[in-house]
Amino acid sequence: MIKTLLIAPYQGLAETAKKVDTPEDIDLNVTIANLEEGVKAAKLAEKQGYELIISRGGTATMIQNEVSIPVVHIDITGYDMLRVFTLIRGIKKGVALVGYANISQGAATICNILEFDVKMITIKSRTEVRGHLEELKQQGFGVVIGDVITVQVAEQVGLRGVLITSGKEAVTDAFEEGKRVYNFFRRVNGQFYYFQETFNSMPFPVILLNKNANVIEKNLMYEQNSQCHEILESPDLSKVIKRVLENETNQWSEVEGEHTVYEIQAFLVSKSEGIIGITVHSSQVKSENRAVRIIGSPVHIPIIGESGEAKRLRDNIQQFARADEMLCIIGEPGTGKYTVAQELHFEKFGQESPIVVLEGSHLASGDKILSKLTAIKHGTVVIKDIETLSAGMQDAIKNLLRNVPNTMQVIVLANESLDHLVHKRAFDEELYQEISDHVMHLSPLRERKKDIGAFVDYFLAEFHAENGNETIGMKHDAIEYLLQFEWLGNLSQLKKTIRELGRMTTANYIELFHVKELMNTYKQMLTAHDKKLPLDGTLEEIEQQVIRQVLEEEGNNQSKAAKRLNINRSTLWRKLKQ
């Protein structure tokens, strides 16, 4: 039996419903309530276990927006229209019908057929009724046909209201429609139950969000993991949502909390509703020594320069982007190996797939990595500093490479040729054979000095965008001076140098004397200590180490220390303050 409540907006409909033969499978109760009162009755009925609501007109429309059980409308039939027009057939003029489109359109057709002179007014909201009726009264109309609200307002403004009632035929049709809708709803509800159970049983946190990052639904795992809630507070989340809605593709990303980094997968649920899903796959404590990082929506990074090396590099990237083979990129530290890998990924996948970066020097286990790659399916795996892998991790990487999905591109980065490591048995020969079929060598900066000027412009533009630095260029003679140096730290060292030069001036252009002052400082420091520039620290760290050593040797006498370093006291003081 279907426990059903018929909410009649007027007394006559309740009486009609009692006279209709109720189907055996409907357990019917009838109450009288209109509009807001009808909504209250429907909400109470839902709490009391009713499974179906039947009502009419505006009351039915309001109810269906407030309850989660099926609501069936009692339609106004052609019989109902003929019945009301018969009631007023003696009135020749001054008759109007005011109602929603479902009433006015059908009535207009009948009036045309029967040649009744009735003015038709279609409304979209009940708030329009009073204005139309007051205007009709001024125009001399005396009778208004309509639904319950129209009749009520007509009486208030001094017009005769004639209610369009629903007959037995309409109520009978509503019962049959109710049975059909209820059975359909039950099937859908059953399916929804299984979907809901599946959603809540997922072994990882999942949430559904709208385009404003408001939570629509969350599963039990998310509820139980209190740490996950800080994902919603991350400014990165809105960027991920925007990318999913714009590109209509899955997006992998890392979202940082206060102490934790979360790896998430965002996917489109409904484009029209602006709803996306977020799956939290793993989390790890924030650390500079993280072994695995996911770069979501990697951007295009141009290959700078017009030298033969730069042109060859751009051609190689285009060539390898069309291939599926594993690639090994070899180059000294600071030559831009990861930049080339990211550009290769961009050419192959665009921004739709992530880059999974494995930091070779921090890797401890390959098991979790493989499961993560299987979940991601499309993208690029970049293994950095592969020559630093322990023997155990080399075995783990071999297993990973053999099982990585064929939809993933693998790029290995090495700071030196691996041949001599294999010869010394410091590197697994089998792993070497797997990764060395396709190799790209990057030249050190000292072999492509022609590109230094282009890199200076590129770095200055990057610093300007980052911190609003006013420096927009470097004078030609200053660039020529930079060509004298060997740049053992390659592009990394050059970038740090340009950053320091940008800090040294507030002018628009870096002058030759700025470059000489900085570079001569480094030369004096190296001469004073008879050692090469260390490559494992920043320029600022190198400066601080040497300056403090000289100060110690000079008994903390800043004048003597500045003289030895060939810089003035104010420069020394400024560097000590940094």
Side-chain angles (χ1 to χ4, degrees):
M1 297 288 284
I2 306 170
K3 191 173 181 180
T4 305
L5 179 64
L6 189 152
I7 300 176
Y10 61 94
Q11 179 70 40
L13 180 57
E15 297 302 322
T16 299
K18 294 174 183 178
K19 298 173 184 177
V20 173
D21 291 333
T22 305
E24 294 181 356
D25 46 0
I26 288 183
D27 178 13
L28 182 68
N29 283 299
V30 180
T31 188
I32 302 169
N34 187 36
L35 300 175
E36 286 84 0
E37 293 302 316
V39 172
K40 289 180 183 178
K43 287 182 174 180
L44 179 61
E46 184 173 20
K47 292 178 181 178
Q48 293 173 339
Y50 279 87
E51 301 166 299
L52 178 67
I53 300 288
I54 299 175
S55 191
R56 199 190 91 149
T59 302
T61 300
M62 292 178 66
I63 290 172
Q64 72 183 10
N65 294 328
E66 299 292 335
V67 298
S68 59
I69 57 177
V71 178
V72 171
H73 291 242
I74 299 175
D75 292 328
I76 293 176
T77 66
Y79 293 113
D80 300 329
M81 290 291 188
L82 286 173
R83 190 179 297 111
V84 73
F85 285 137
T86 302
L87 289 172
I88 62 166
R89 62 184 179 276
I91 304 172
K92 301 301 182 184
K93 61 179 180 178
V95 179
L97 184 146
V98 178
Y100 291 95
N102 65 321
I103 296 177
S104 62
Q105 290 174 358
T109 302
I110 293 175
C111 286
N112 288 335
I113 294 172
L114 300 179
E115 297 183 343
F116 286 161
D117 183 16
V118 178
K119 181 180 178 67
M120 297 292 168
I121 297 178
T122 301
I123 60 171
K124 295 182 179 178
S125 168
R126 63 189 181 121
T127 58
E128 303 174 27
V129 173
R130 182 173 294 275
H132 285 299
L133 296 190
E134 289 176 346
E135 187 176 341
L136 287 170
K137 184 178 180 181
Q138 292 176 0
Q139 295 173 358
F141 284 83
V143 179
V144 176
I145 304 169
D147 207 341
V148 175
I149 185 65
T150 300
V151 173
Q152 289 176 347
V153 176
E155 293 172 350
Q156 293 169 9
V157 301
L159 294 173
R160 176 188 170 190
V162 178
L163 179 66
I164 303 174
T165 59
S166 294
K168 292 181 180 180
E169 307 86 0
V171 175
T172 301
D173 290 345
F175 286 154
E176 293 302 317
E177 177 68 6
K179 289 162 54 178
R180 188 189 67 80
V181 169
Y182 169 78
N183 289 327
F184 175 77
F185 183 83
R186 188 175 61 175
R187 289 196 301 271
V188 171
N189 211 33
Q191 293 173 349
F192 175 77
Y193 170 78
Y194 292 118
F195 286 133
Q196 187 73 19
E197 287 297 298
T198 302
F199 181 69
N200 280 323
S201 301
M202 285 181 173
F204 36 74
V206 184
I207 50 175
L208 301 183
L209 306 173
N210 64 16
K211 61 183 178 182
N212 298 318
N214 297 321
V215 177
I216 298 173
E217 191 61 75
K218 50 198 170 188
N219 72 347
L220 292 178
M221 185 66 76
Y222 180 88
E223 289 275 20
Q224 294 167 1
N225 191 333
S226 58
Q227 281 187 316
C228 283
H229 297 177
E230 65 178 344
I231 291 174
L232 301 175
E233 301 171 6
S234 171
D236 297 328
L237 186 60
S238 59
K239 299 175 185 177
V240 175
I241 292 173
K242 183 179 179 182
R243 290 200 301 264
V244 172
L245 292 175
E246 288 180 350
N247 301 329
E248 298 184 35
T249 57
N250 292 359
Q251 294 285 328
W252 282 84
S253 186
E254 289 185 347
V255 173
E256 292 193 2
E258 185 176 0
H259 303 294
T260 308
V261 178
Y262 302 91
E263 293 174 3
I264 66 170
Q265 182 185 19
F267 53 94
L268 185 64
V269 176
S270 171
K271 174 70 173 178
S272 59
E273 299 291 332
I275 299 174
I276 73 161
I278 298 285
T279 302
V280 184
H281 283 273
S282 63
S283 60
Q284 51 188 314
V285 177
K286 274 188 181 179
S287 170
E288 294 182 359
N289 299 326
R290 285 162 52 203
V292 183
R293 290 182 295 119
I294 294 180
I295 313 298
S297 297
V299 298
H300 161 66
I301 300 180
I303 303 302
I304 303 299
E306 293 301 323
S307 66
E309 166 68 9
K311 293 176 181 177
R312 179 184 67 82
L313 197 51
R314 285 191 285 267
D315 291 341
N316 284 345
I317 288 174
Q318 293 293 326
Q319 178 184 347
F320 279 109
R322 293 190 291 268
D324 296 324
E325 292 84 1
M326 191 184 311
L327 174 65
C328 181
I329 303 177
I330 300 175
E332 294 179 7
T335 48
K337 296 183 293 295
Y338 179 76
T339 297
V340 172
Q342 181 168 327
E343 183 58 13
L344 252 168
H345 169 90
F346 187 86
E347 288 294 327
K348 190 177 187 70
F349 295 104
Q351 287 191 288
E352 295 182 1
S353 301
I355 298 177
V356 181
V357 181
L358 310 183
E359 298 285 353
S361 56
H362 303 316
L363 286 173
S365 171
D367 298 337
K368 292 183 178 179
I369 299 171
L370 183 57
S371 62
K372 189 173 299 185
L373 297 182
T374 304
I376 292 176
K377 296 183 180 179
H378 291 86
T380 300
V381 183
V382 176
I383 307 175
K384 299 176 71 174
D385 304 327
I386 195 167
E387 72 278 2
T388 65
L389 293 176
S390 65
M393 273 311 303
Q394 289 180 34
D395 287 337
I397 291 297
K398 275 194 301 184
N399 179 61
L400 184 147
L401 294 179
R402 290 166 185 163
N403 292 281
V404 69
N406 56 16
T407 53
M408 301 285 290
Q409 171 74 54
V410 178
I411 302 177
V412 175
L413 310 184
N415 290 316
E416 55 183 318
S417 177
L418 301 175
D419 304 59
H420 73 285
L421 294 178
V422 174
H423 181 70
K424 292 193 302 182
R425 299 191 177 184
F427 196 84
D428 187 279
E429 184 173 2
E430 192 175 353
L431 177 58
Y432 170 74
Q433 295 297 336
E434 284 195 42
I435 66 176
S436 61
D437 282 347
H438 301 278
V439 177
M440 181 189 297
H441 290 275
L442 301 189
S443 300
L445 185 56
R446 61 184 173 274
E447 295 179 9
R448 50 180 300 200
K449 291 184 178 181
K450 181 179 178 181
D451 294 328
I452 285 180
F455 277 110
V456 168
D457 292 339
Y458 180 78
F459 292 145
L460 286 175
E462 182 180 314
F463 301 150
H464 181 76
E466 285 179 2
N467 51 39
N469 195 311
E470 295 296 325
T471 306
I472 59 173
M474 181 182 289
K475 291 296 181 67
H476 180 72
D477 55 355
I479 294 175
E480 288 295 316
Y481 190 80
L482 291 176
L483 302 184
Q484 300 177 22
F485 299 89
E486 291 303 297
W487 301 105
L488 300 180
N490 295 296
L491 292 172
S492 297
Q493 184 187 1
L494 176 64
K495 184 174 183 178
K496 293 171 185 175
T497 301
I498 302 306
R499 187 188 295 274
E500 175 69 10
L501 287 168
R503 292 172 179 164
M504 290 174 61
T505 178
T506 57
N508 290 333
Y509 288 90
I510 297 171
E511 302 283 352
L512 175 60
F513 73 87
H514 292 124
V515 179
K516 283 186 174 181
E517 179 182 350
L518 181 63
M519 301 309 291
N520 288 343
T521 299
Y522 295 149
K523 286 195 292 185
Q524 291 294 330
M525 290 177 179
L526 294 177
T527 301
H529 292 269
D530 192 27
K531 63 180 181 180
K532 292 184 178 180
L533 181 69
L535 303 180
D536 57 351
T538 67
L539 294 178
E540 291 85 351
E541 292 169 344
I542 297 168
E543 278 188 335
Q544 291 296 317
Q545 292 173 8
V546 175
I547 287 173
R548 296 194 181 282
Q549 178 66 33
V550 172
L551 272 172
E552 183 180 340
E553 293 175 3
E554 295 295 341
N556 288 320
N557 186 312
Q558 292 189 10
S559 297
K560 291 183 179 180
K563 186 175 181 180
R564 273 189 60 182
L565 294 170
N566 197 29
I567 57 177
N568 57 47
R569 282 194 63 187
S570 61
T571 300
L572 176 62
W573 182 84
R574 176 174 58 81
K575 291 183 179 294
L576 287 171
K577 284 288 186 181
Q578 289 179 349

